[in-house]
Amino acid sequence: MDVYQPVMTSVACRNCKSAKATRPRQLCFRCYYTPEVRNRFPSASKFGRRGVGNFCGNAPTPFAPTTAAPGSLEKLAVLEMRARLNQALWHPLDARYPGDPRTLQVLQLQKVA
């Protein structure tokens, strides 16, 4: 009667190839906590962040607010464009409801100046 016993193999770090991989992305402790190295090896987890705008850092504020109403297709297009440009998704003066006059006033002042 043979008893199956799993063989435990240690996996080497994908970056330095010398230390044991003990962190996610199959990296060692030292490599995982070095941002430049960690960014080169994407997450293999199904819970990892995916898609446009997946970057580390503070995003700059968008150049101008949008008059698009929240939830509209136009607003979604603006958010997608901002994500592709690695900008913050939300401008402080974006329209908060359809017909928000604040955004129009700011845009008119920018055109005059």
Side-chain angles (χ1 to χ4, degrees):
M1 188 187 234
D2 292 331
V3 177
Y4 175 75
Q5 293 185 5
V7 177
M8 300 300 287
T9 59
S10 63
V11 178
C13 174
R14 290 169 61 192
N15 183 55
C16 67
K17 309 271 193 263
S18 61
K20 183 178 175 183
T22 59
R23 298 279 138 205
R25 304 172 192 207
Q26 294 181 342
L27 296 173
C28 66
F29 187 88
R30 188 164 136 203
C31 293
Y32 183 78
Y33 288 106
T34 305
E36 297 83 28
V37 174
R38 186 174 59 224
N39 290 340
R40 280 191 281 144
F41 296 96
S43 174
S45 168
K46 66 180 181 180
F47 302 108
R49 295 182 188 159
R50 306 270 195 288
V52 176
N54 182 15
F55 68 98
C56 298
N58 295 328
T61 304
F63 177 70
T66 179
T67 58
S72 66
L73 292 177
E74 182 183 358
K75 178 70 173 202
L76 294 176
V78 169
L79 294 176
E80 181 182 0
M81 181 191 64
R82 288 176 179 173
R84 288 187 191 282
L85 296 173
N86 287 340
Q87 296 178 341
L89 295 181
W90 316 109
H91 189 282
L93 297 174
D94 278 349
R96 294 185 181 176
Y97 52 88
D100 189 355
R102 292 179 316 125
T103 307
L104 291 173
Q105 292 169 354
V106 170
L107 290 173
Q108 288 171 352
L109 288 174
Q110 285 181 352
K111 288 180 183 176
V112 171

